[in-house]
Amino acid sequence: MLRLALSALGLLAIQAAAQCAREDLVAATDSLLAAQSAGTPATVAPLADSIAYLEAFKTANFQTGILSHPLKIAFNRSLHDTTACATYTEIIVTDPSHPYVIGTQMRFADGKIANISTLVTDQGDWLFNATGTYYWATREAWDVIPEDQRDTREVIQAAADAYANLFNDKSVVVPWGHPCARLEGGAYTGSGSANDRCDVGVPNGVALTNRRYVIDETLGAVDVFIDFATVPDSHEFRVEKGQLRFVHTLTVMGG
């Protein structure tokens, strides 16, 4: 029987994870999507005997959490981090009966999923509008980057960190792309034009702490789970030639 070690301490136990095969990580995110579509959390695979499961960065019940609700997924994208043995999956549900935008990080130990942390946003969360999120997300290009044009994981993480550090230190130099667009909840800072900017509306005096990264060099992408002051947050970035191209945010106001 699956034993659920429902504690954030599960993440600490897998920090020294060895490298993983991309095909194994892809199979795991495929199983996550299938499980969410069917409402069958136990079919996420391969699960460790003991896992930590969190929603909004708090211990939750794996069997009765969001994965137990069958959802019609309108859009999804996953990042696969073969160095850290981790994945990130963005899910958009536009079903008018209950729309959601969900972000899930999974972390592996000894080849099995040992930690699942999910941010579930819906009505009442920051700028929530699943229809708007779907509209803009499906118009962005997050194509695989040719191998000889890829940034290193260090460059990708540094771009994300510069953006996050700006919230508490306006002297930080951020590698803004031109164009660059931010999808914040369902609100978009651009229009899909060459003049789009994502250096607008950045607050000051807010510490973005406790950062947990999933980096996929093939997509030039990184997702960061963050404590945004006191609320659970995800910032996902697309980095091209060292510069920010797209930013996606999820913020759970009820967390």
Side-chain angles (χ1 to χ4, degrees), residues 112-253:
K112 294 187 176 182
I113 301 163
N115 182 289
I116 301 175
S117 183
T118 296
L119 296 180
V120 181
T121 63
D122 58 4
Q123 190 63 39
D125 287 314
W126 182 251
L127 298 178
F128 180 81
N129 181 340
T131 302
T133 304
Y134 174 82
Y135 178 86
W136 291 111
T138 56
R139 281 158 175 76
E140 295 177 345
W142 292 60
D143 300 331
V144 172
I145 297 173
E147 190 169 358
D148 63 350
Q149 299 176 31
R150 292 174 189 168
D151 290 311
T152 65
R153 60 188 294 110
E154 291 78 15
V155 167
I156 295 168
Q157 180 175 327
D161 279 335
Y163 180 98
N165 292 340
L166 184 68
F167 283 65
N168 205 35
D169 181 357
K170 291 303 181 187
S171 70
V172 173
V173 176
V174 179
W176 304 113
H178 303 282
C180 178
R182 184 175 73 244
L183 181 55
E184 186 172 354
Y188 207 56
T189 63
S191 62
S193 77
N195 297 318
D196 286 353
R197 296 173 55 182
C198 55
D199 60 347
V200 296
V202 179
N204 194 21
V206 182
L208 277 57
T209 60
N210 193 22
R211 301 173 192 175
R212 288 137 287 170
Y213 306 89
V214 176
I215 301 172
D216 188 334
E217 298 96 325
T218 70
L219 297 179
V222 53
D223 178 71
V224 193
F225 272 9
I226 294 172
D227 293 346
F228 194 110
T230 60
V231 297
D233 178 271
S234 169
H235 270 63
E236 183 186 18
F237 303 86
R238 163 82 168 193
V239 179
E240 299 177 358
K241 298 180 180 178
Q243 296 186 321
L244 297 174
R245 178 63 184 90
F246 297 116
V247 184
H248 285 196
T249 79
L250 296 174
T251 308
V252 183
M253 301 306 293

Side-chain angles (χ1 to χ4, degrees), residues 21-33 45 78-82 86-87 89 106 108 216:
R22 176 169 297 275
E23 55 268 29
D24 292 338
L25 298 179
V26 171
T29 53
D30 285 348
S31 79
L32 174 71
L33 293 167
S78 293
L79 312 185
H80 303 97
D81 189 333
T82 58
T87 68
T89 300
M106 299 195 296
F108 293 68
D216 188 334

Side-chain angles (χ1 to χ4, degrees), residues 92-104:
I92 301 173
V93 176
T94 56
D95 183 346
S97 67
H98 196 151
Y100 292 97
V101 181
I102 300 169
T104 300

